[in-house]
Structures are given as C-alpha cells and as structure tokens.
Amino acid sequence: MPFHGRAFGIQLEADFKLPGVLNGNGREPGVPTHLKVVSREALDRGWHAENAARTFDADGPDGRPVITIDYDPDAGYRVWARNHGECRISPNGSEILCAPPHAKAGRWRLLIGQALPLASALRGFEVLHASAVAIDGRAAGFVGASGAGKTSLALQLVLEGAQLLADDVLALEVGDGEVLAHAGVRTANVPHDQAAAMSPDELGRLGTIVGDSDKLHVKFETSDRPLPLAAIYFLRRETGIGRPSIERIDPPDPALLLGSTYVFHVPTRERLVNQLDVCSQIAQTVGMFGVRFDPAHGVRAVSVAVRDHLNPS
Amino acid sequence: MHEGNGRVTDEVAQRVLDGRATLPGHMVYRSFVAETVILNLNSGTYHGTSAVGGVMLERLAECEKVRDAARNLAEHFDRPVDEIERDIVDFCLSLQERGLIVLDSSPAR
C-alpha cells in the first residue's frame, strides 16, 4: 500500500514508510513525485557516467569526498554521500530512486536533505537554504551560513509560540503576486546542546523525538498549506554587539537573495528562470532584513527581537 | 566608435538610434527594485544594471527602433530627448560590449 505525504511543496508517494514525511491521506491535489527504494545495481541501470557532468562535490577533513552530485540531462541527477547512500532524481523531479545505507541512524538523511529539495526545484519551486516559522498565518524565513543560528532561532521561536515550517530548507513559489512558503519535512534536527538546554516540557512542545544521531531528530506538526512569506531575515553573528540589531536591507540586494539558494547545483534553464522570478518577487513584495547578534547573549535575545519586529505592539 | 576623449561619435550614435536593439533569447532580466538583473541562460552568469537600465530594456524590447525607445523614455522620465538619446546609446553600446544585447544597425528599409 503506498504511503503519501507532502514536503517542499511537492506531493510524495512511496512504497516505504518515511517518518515525519509520509503520513498524508493520498487525497492531496497535484501529481506526486514517486519515491522507491532500490539496490545500487538498479541505480546504475540507465545511468551512463560518461554522459554526466559533476555539478558539485565536497571533501571531508580527511580529504576524501563526502558528497557528489552528477547531472545527465537525459537521466537526471545522481547524488552520493559517504555513509548516506545514493539517490537518483529524474530530470523533471517526478521520481526519486533511493539506495539508502543499511544503518538505521540517518538512513534517510540524503533523501530528505538533498534528493527531496532537488526534486522540489525541478518541479518548479525555488528552494532556499533557510529555516522558517509561521506566526499568525504568515511565514518568516531565516537565512545564514551554516552555524549562523537558523535552526536555533526557529526552534526558540517555536518554544515561544510559533509553528515550525522548515528546519534547513525552505521551498518557495510565486502565487497571486505573493511569495508563498511551503513546509519542509516534518522532522527537525536539533543540536544536542540546544536540546540539553531545554526542559522536558519544552522539548515536548517541539515535537516527538524519533531519532538520535549527531543531532536529535524531532517530529513536529506544521502547516498543511502554503503561507505568504512576510519577511526574510539574514543572520550574521557579530561579537561585541550589544542587543540584536535588525535593519531593513534597502534597497534589496539581489546577490543576497540569489546566493541563498539551496540548489545551486541545478543549472537548468527552467530552474534558473524560476529562481530569478521568485527572488525578484521577494525583492518587490517581501521585507528583507539583516539581523546582527552576539551569540554569547543567547538565542532568546534574538527571538524576542524578531518577534517584536514581526508584530510590533 | 569613440572619439579620442571616449565620447561616442555622432555617426555611431545615429546608427544605433536608427537601428534595433534586441535581447538574445538566452538572456532574461528581472527587476530587483533598485537593480535589474540580467541572466545569461547559456552561461549561468548574472549581470546587473540599474533600475533605469531595466526600464530602458523594457522600452527597447517594445520599440522598433532605439530612437523610438528614447522618445518614449524622454516622456516617461520627463527629460530632454537628446539627453536620453545619449544615455540610451551609451547603454546599448555597453550592453553590446558585454554580449548582452544585439544591435541591428542595418539601414531602415
């Protein structure tokens, strides 16, 4: 019996369970992206390495590759990550074949962290490297370099009453002259130090713990429908600054927006034009703000500043 | 094309004004309020121009001749036509130099 769900704006249908992702009723509108678990040999079928170009790779501290992404216009994308298996995504994002690792911990991280966002981009969404929350029916996104505090800030806002929309990847589209934000997968990766600082009650309010690896994996409830993007905050750590400072980025900076993409390794014309459309719409209709804060003062100071900024009394 | 002091010669300016400027099919542009971003879909590279440049691109796409676009822009910005003509010629030549625009300076038929 197929499992259904929705993440990053796309309908999903799979022949396997995926906690925090596949729990829909199958009656959601839209053509689904099909997910299948296959063997490595099955991934090789129809893939001709000589036709593919490497669009991204990164090495670990030991100098060995940790992730590679290859692209063949006819066969699609092939994503490999050390210890996390491999996925193939069809050229139009309608199918994802996964060959996950045998280990249970982090088994689906490559699928959730790379393949689904890539499929979302191929299906017409622009995908930002951002966390996001919903407050009073509107979405607020948080962009920053890895370690800038995107997840920590979003989680703190959830503890203060917001609803988590996205942990690390935010899918956007333009609709009716607005930019609409779609929820990601319904699991967040909570840094252990942040989880340790929470009371059991607070941790419970975040959601249900469904796994523990290098981070705590927490399943949470989120919005089933896209929400208008009200503001996008660009986070920057600055030692020595007193209270967090929030300033409007005026005029909007195209480089900041275009550089916030999560899928820079998807160079298709359709995706590049879509990215330009979404970022142009953000520049014209969504508030862009720079947030400078000293991490030594804790994330709560930033969350208070953001909440007050979003809903000035 | 340019005089020794960098100014465009009258002959070149007239040729540009009497011709047509088109953005190749692999170029797209969008407004970012104070800037216009032009994307080369073939190379994946981005180029920036001002918001005024974005308006110029729109008029150039709508008008048969660069001269017509200049007249239209002069009305839009409430500026003298000859001033706008100088600006649009410089703009077109700059974009042409960067491979972002095609200038068809064939004599009018």
Side-chain angles (χ1 to χ4, degrees), chain A residues 201-223:
Chain A
D201 173 62
E202 285 176 327
L203 206 48
R205 276 192 278 138
L206 273 188
T208 309
I209 297 171
V210 294
D212 189 348
S213 57
D214 59 329
K215 290 184 181 175
L216 203 61
H217 309 299
V218 179
K219 187 175 130 188
F220 61 91
E221 293 303 315
T222 189
S223 174

Side-chain angles (χ1 to χ4, degrees), chain A residues 251 254 269 275 277 280 283-284, chain B residues 30-35 42 46:
Chain A
R269 289 181 168 224
Q275 180 196 25
D277 283 336
S280 167
Q284 294 179 73
Chain B
R30 297 290 186 271
S31 167
F32 282 75
V33 183
E35 267 186 73
N42 283 351
Y46 297 86

Side-chain angles (χ1 to χ4, degrees), chain A residues 150-236:
Chain A
K150 300 185 293 294
T151 299
S152 300
L153 176 56
L155 295 178
Q156 182 60 38
L157 285 164
V158 169
L159 291 179
E160 294 165 11
Q163 186 180 46
L164 189 60
L165 260 191
D167 173 19
D168 198 41
V169 181
L170 178 62
L172 301 173
E173 66 171 333
V174 176
D176 290 332
E178 284 185 308
V179 179
L180 299 174
H182 291 265
V185 295
R186 284 141 171 79
T187 51
N189 298 321
V190 182
H192 280 293
D193 57 352
Q194 192 170 7
M198 293 181 196
S199 67
D201 173 62
E202 285 176 327
L203 206 48
R205 276 192 278 138
L206 273 188
T208 309
I209 297 171
V210 294
D212 189 348
S213 57
D214 59 329
K215 290 184 181 175
L216 203 61
H217 309 299
V218 179
K219 187 175 130 188
F220 61 91
E221 293 303 315
T222 189
S223 174
D224 286 331
R225 56 187 177 88
L227 299 176
L229 183 67
I232 186 162
Y233 296 91
F234 294 83
L235 308 182
R236 199 174 90 210

